[in-house]
Amino acid sequence: MKIRTWVAACALTCVVMPAVAGEVLVSAAASLTNAFKELATQYEAAHPGTKVLTTFGSSDVVLRQITEGAPADVFASADQKAMDKAVAAKAVDPATRVNFARNEVVLVVPADNPRGIASLADLKKPGVTRIALGNPESVPVGRYTQAALEKAGAWDTVKAHQILGQNVRQVLSYVERGEVDAGFVYATDAAIMKDKVKVVQAVETPTPVSYPIALVQRDGRAPEAAGFLKFLLSADGQAVLARYGFVKP
């Protein structure tokens, strides 16, 4: 019941409102929530009269909203695959595509760690029955996780006990509330819940956890969108990302 309630609440926060003059609509991966909210606040302070509205969710879901007509000016993804889909769908201007941050996948457990998990190997323990990860079909952190576990020879173990999340913050919530024995999230997400979850191992991914961003290709795109993108890539914008644990691409 807790899980269903959380999903319903998340769905409500992902609604995108119509654009009006002076507004920049930024659609981004869930793992960027805290950092992008601060970036929006700073950009607004430096550009009086401009309002930055943000919406967050799984990169694939956010992209689907854009391709189905939801207004957006900027799309920020947690992996290259989602951005590749955006380019193929002509949803973004490929000339504006740029990588702006990197992250890493970590194995986390509830703070009290009742199963005594200290590494990937411990996921084979008989008492470990619920392991959360993003759905690899639609969530970048899930794709990174599956590829990493396949490389490490641990995918079959995790798949047998998987609890799939619709975005990385849902996975984090499962772990934080003790509804699963362990989960795979980004290091930046674990950091915002460091009193509720414990990182037990960084997971090596075959490809870097790289975040691309691009301007959405649509009539009526806010002229201020390019300014927000430029700010994100600036020293001040990168400093905000660094405070939330992201590293330069």
Side-chain angles (χ1 to χ4, degrees):
M1 179 61 70
K2 289 182 179 180
I3 291 176
R4 288 197 295 270
T5 301
W6 196 98
V7 173
C10 177
L12 291 175
T13 66
C14 294
V15 174
V16 182
M17 300 304 292
V20 299
E23 292 183 344
V24 179
L25 305 181
V26 179
S27 296
S31 53
L32 295 166
T33 300
N34 301 71
F36 267 40
K37 284 184 176 180
E38 182 173 336
L39 285 165
T41 298
Q42 289 198 16
Y43 188 79
E44 290 172 354
H47 299 81
T50 298
K51 181 71 175 176
V52 180
L53 302 180
T54 52
T55 183
F56 305 97
S58 164
S59 298
D60 289 32
V61 171
V62 169
L63 173 58
R64 185 168 67 247
Q65 291 173 344
I66 293 172
T67 59
E68 291 178 351
D73 302 307
V74 180
F75 173 53
S77 168
D79 75 349
Q80 300 299 326
K81 184 173 182 179
M83 188 59 75
D84 289 343
K85 291 179 182 178
V87 171
K90 300 184 188 294
V92 298
D93 179 357
T96 65
R97 177 177 179 170
V98 61
N99 296 335
F100 67 93
R102 287 180 62 174
N103 210 335
E104 68 177 343
V105 175
V106 294
L107 172 62
V108 293
V109 296
D112 57 353
N113 195 10
R115 302 300 182 189
I117 297 170
S119 67
L120 286 177
D122 289 335
L123 298 180
K124 295 182 179 180
K125 288 183 174 181
V128 177
T129 60
R130 294 170 65 84
I131 305 170
L133 68 152
N135 186 340
E137 294 186 1
S138 60
V139 184
V141 71
R143 292 194 280 264
Y144 287 124
T145 298
Q146 180 176 349
L149 294 177
E150 287 176 342
K151 182 178 180 180
W155 175 240
D156 288 344
T157 296
V158 172
K159 187 177 182 180
H161 303 296
Q162 66 182 7
I163 302 297
L164 298 179
Q166 298 309 305
N167 59 61
V168 69
R169 290 299 173 89
Q170 186 177 17
V171 174
L172 181 67
S173 183
Y174 291 167
V175 180
E176 177 261 324
R177 297 198 303 259
E179 295 181 349
V180 296
D181 303 310
F184 293 90
V185 299
Y186 295 123
T188 54
D189 294 291
I192 66 173
M193 281 285 183
K194 58 185 177 181
D195 59 331
K196 299 291 183 66
V197 304
K198 176 183 178 182
V199 175
V200 296
Q201 183 178 341
V203 180
E204 183 179 353
T205 56
T207 59
V209 179
S210 178
Y211 288 65
I213 191 168
L215 298 182
V216 173
Q217 190 81 277
R218 72 176 179 93
D219 293 336
R221 184 178 69 208
E224 297 89 349
F228 179 81
L229 180 55
K230 182 177 180 180
F231 172 65
L232 174 67
L233 300 173
S234 72
D236 288 342
Q238 289 293 305
V240 171
L241 290 168
R243 284 200 293 276
Y244 288 92
F246 294 94
V247 298
K248 291 183 178 180

